[in-house]
Amino acid sequence: YAMLLSLIFLIVLVAAIVGFVFRHEIKTNFESNLNLALKDYNVTADRHSEAVDTIQRTLHCCGVQNYSDWERTEYFGQRGIPRSCCKNQNDCSEEDLKDPNKAKLKVFVDGCFFLVTSTMESKMSVVAGISFGIACFQLIGIILSCCLSRYITNNQYEMV
């Protein structure tokens, strides 16, 4: 049991170290994937388009760096900026969303990349605290299982 807990503890420790060391690569990868999702954004309900819409609605943002990122997409030529960028859904018309100057007043102007990364970084302290707590319980379990094993081994010799 102690060996199993030790193995799990080491796996969690390695995962935490790898996540910390490669956090900049994770950000770069997220930014490139978000750019790709904007480029391939379409009206059909695919997973990437739904994810972009959810991020934009939830974090009140638009585009990667700002709302003008949508102007470089194929979707913008067809329908303008997506409705998920609108501050007020009832006040956004398709004509407003096709004109970048009018859209600036109707949509969220901040980009999603900075908001997502800052939200993730702000939540990292909570994740680190929970992980540290779990690691402490695992270490206590390892120590107690080693003590139990020693106790059982010592009692076996006394019985004989």
Side-chain angles (χ1 to χ4, degrees):
Y1 184 71
M3 296 301 270
L4 180 65
L5 278 178
S6 298
L7 181 67
I8 293 170
F9 178 75
L10 288 174
I11 290 170
V12 169
L13 185 66
V14 167
I17 291 170
V18 167
F20 182 74
V21 169
F22 292 110
R23 69 185 181 279
H24 298 295
E25 286 82 0
I26 292 170
K27 281 184 182 180
T28 305
N29 193 12
F30 175 72
E31 184 176 19
S32 65
N33 283 333
L34 191 56
N35 276 317
L36 188 63
L38 256 66
K39 181 179 161 262
D40 294 338
Y41 185 89
N42 57 23
V43 184
T44 61
D46 67 331
R47 294 179 314 154
H48 301 291
S49 299
E50 287 178 18
V52 169
D53 286 337
T54 302
I55 289 171
Q56 290 181 152
R57 275 191 207 100
T58 305
L59 296 178
H60 303 289
C61 59
C62 190
V64 179
Q65 300 301 329
N66 58 35
Y67 76 99
S68 63
D69 292 337
W70 283 104
E71 295 174 36
R72 297 184 295 274
T73 65
E74 189 177 312
Y75 181 83
F76 183 81
Q78 298 169 357
R79 302 188 108 183
I81 297 172
R83 294 188 65 79
S84 60
C85 286
C86 292
K87 293 177 185 175
N88 183 358
Q89 294 294 321
N90 299 328
D91 192 29
C92 266
S93 66
E94 194 169 314
E95 294 81 33
D96 292 339
L97 295 174
K98 284 184 177 180
D99 182 10
N101 295 323
K102 289 181 183 177
K104 184 177 182 178
L105 303 171
K106 307 257 181 178
V107 299
F108 303 112
V109 292
D110 296 329
C112 294
F113 175 70
F114 175 73
L115 288 172
V116 168
T117 55
S118 64
T119 301
M120 284 173 41
E121 287 172 358
S122 70
K123 305 293 184 201
M124 288 306 272
S125 60
V126 173
V127 172
I130 292 171
S131 299
F132 181 72
I134 291 171
C136 287
F137 280 117
Q138 283 180 325
L139 286 174
I140 291 169
I142 292 168
I143 292 168
L144 290 176
S145 65
C146 288
C147 291
L148 181 62
S149 174
R150 184 178 300 153
Y151 178 75
I152 290 171
T153 305
N154 287 341
N155 280 345
Q156 250 180 357
Y157 290 120
E158 289 176 10
M159 288 165 44
V160 174

